[in-house]
Amino acid sequence: MQFLKGLFWFLIAVLVAAFVFGNWNEITHVHLWNDLVADVKVPILVTVCFLAGLLPTLVYQHAIRWRLRQRLAAAERSLAVVRETVAVAEPAPAPEPAAPTPRSDENDAPPLLTPGAA
């Protein structure tokens, strides 16, 4: 699985490099405001736009994961406290002595097979 993951990232890097080499000489005019115009190369513009969309999403995802880890740790701590209080409050009940079984006498039960029937 690690090999496939590495292969995937290698293919993505090759595609990005092909895009950069193919579009490096093209310049885009970005009109900012009034008469201010920025001349930006296409790969840089695409990279900035990609990061502008990716970074807030990554920050949000990491914040959610951190908050869920904190909640899970708090729940585990409270569960440990509850287990300790239950273990201290309720000692294990002593097992009840087993009732003696009545001993059957061998002469009380009729034989299963009669001696001449076999």
Side-chain angles (χ1 to χ4, degrees):
M1 188 67 184
Q2 188 70 19
F3 171 75
L4 292 177
K5 186 177 176 183
L7 181 64
F8 172 75
W9 284 112
F10 177 75
L11 291 176
I12 294 293
V14 168
L15 289 174
V16 168
F19 174 77
V20 168
F21 287 131
N23 294 309
W24 189 252
N25 293 330
E26 295 183 27
I27 296 178
T28 304
H29 304 290
V30 179
H31 298 280
L32 299 174
W33 57 84
N34 293 337
D35 293 333
L36 188 60
V37 177
D39 294 332
V40 182
K41 295 193 179 215
V42 173
I44 294 173
L45 181 63
V46 169
T47 303
V48 168
C49 290
F50 175 75
L51 291 177
L54 178 69
L55 291 179
T57 306
L58 284 178
V59 168
Y60 177 74
Q61 186 234 0
H62 282 288
I64 293 295
R65 289 183 68 193
W66 178 80
R67 189 178 70 193
L68 289 175
R69 281 189 189 124
Q70 295 299 319
R71 290 176 62 189
L72 181 62
E76 287 174 347
R77 284 192 303 269
S78 66
L79 181 63
V81 169
V82 168
R83 284 184 178 166
E84 287 177 6
T85 57
V86 168
V88 170
E90 293 180 11
E96 295 181 13
T101 57
R103 186 172 175 223
S104 64
D105 199 10
E106 294 178 12
N107 296 332
D108 291 343
L112 296 176
L113 293 174
T114 56

